[in-house]
Amino acid sequence: MERGSNQVSPRTDDEMKHELEGRLRSGRPTHVEEEHDPEPPADDDIRVDTGGPVPPPGEERERARAQEEADSLLRELARHLERTAFPADRETVLDVLRAHHAPDSVLDEAAALPDSGTYANVTEIVEALGHRPTR
């Protein structure tokens, strides 16, 4: 018999493990515990946990919009570019995008790439276009 500092019986301990199993596996609260979760922030709330001064509301929205555009471009490029295309220069990127029937907006963005330079992945392409995708 094990004599540790455990204050609960083995049966209670197993019940507690079973109750926490979903949360431990998922890394986030489960639906069963929904009433105990704090209310999530609204879309238009100003973030105050940034570690610095709180930006004006318009600045935060503009930053979020630019971030969404960068992430959207990254997703579209990743959808139409194959891994075998890398490393790629500007012309290779444009050729592969045309071959995969990428939307005109993506082709227009890729056409703005500098003539010199090669890119190892989609993130490097997005950064070369002046965007900062979420990592």
Side-chain angles (χ1 to χ4, degrees):
M1 176 180 218
E2 185 178 324
R3 294 187 182 259
S5 62
N6 194 351
Q7 299 293 321
V8 295
S9 69
R11 180 174 174 228
T12 307
D13 192 36
D14 288 341
E15 288 175 5
M16 291 168 64
K17 285 179 187 174
H18 180 70
E19 290 173 5
L20 289 174
E21 185 177 11
R23 183 178 185 130
L24 294 174
R25 283 189 181 189
S26 68
R28 60 185 183 347
T30 58
H31 293 292
V32 176
E33 304 161 340
E34 194 171 303
E35 68 273 2
H36 300 295
D37 294 340
E39 185 176 327
D43 292 337
D44 58 349
D45 281 353
I46 297 174
R47 291 188 52 196
V48 294
D49 61 345
T50 58
V54 178
E59 190 176 312
E60 179 72 20
R61 286 190 188 113
E62 185 61 35
R63 194 176 311 142
R65 188 176 314 125
Q67 187 68 54
E68 178 56 36
E69 287 175 8
D71 291 343
S72 174
L73 178 62
L74 183 103
R75 283 190 302 271
E76 282 296 315
L77 285 170
R79 196 171 129 218
H80 295 287
L81 290 174
E82 303 168 338
R83 288 184 180 184
T84 57
F86 295 103
D89 59 356
R90 177 181 179 269
E91 289 306 314
T92 305
V93 169
L94 289 171
D95 290 342
V96 173
L97 288 173
R98 286 185 195 109
H100 286 94
H101 307 289
D104 290 336
S105 60
V106 176
L107 284 169
D108 293 341
E109 284 277 349
L113 283 169
D115 289 332
S116 62
T118 58
Y119 309 100
N121 54 38
V122 176
T123 304
E124 287 185 10
I125 293 172
V126 173
E127 288 173 349
L129 292 169
H131 300 286
R132 298 192 57 131
T134 304
R135 295 195 182 233

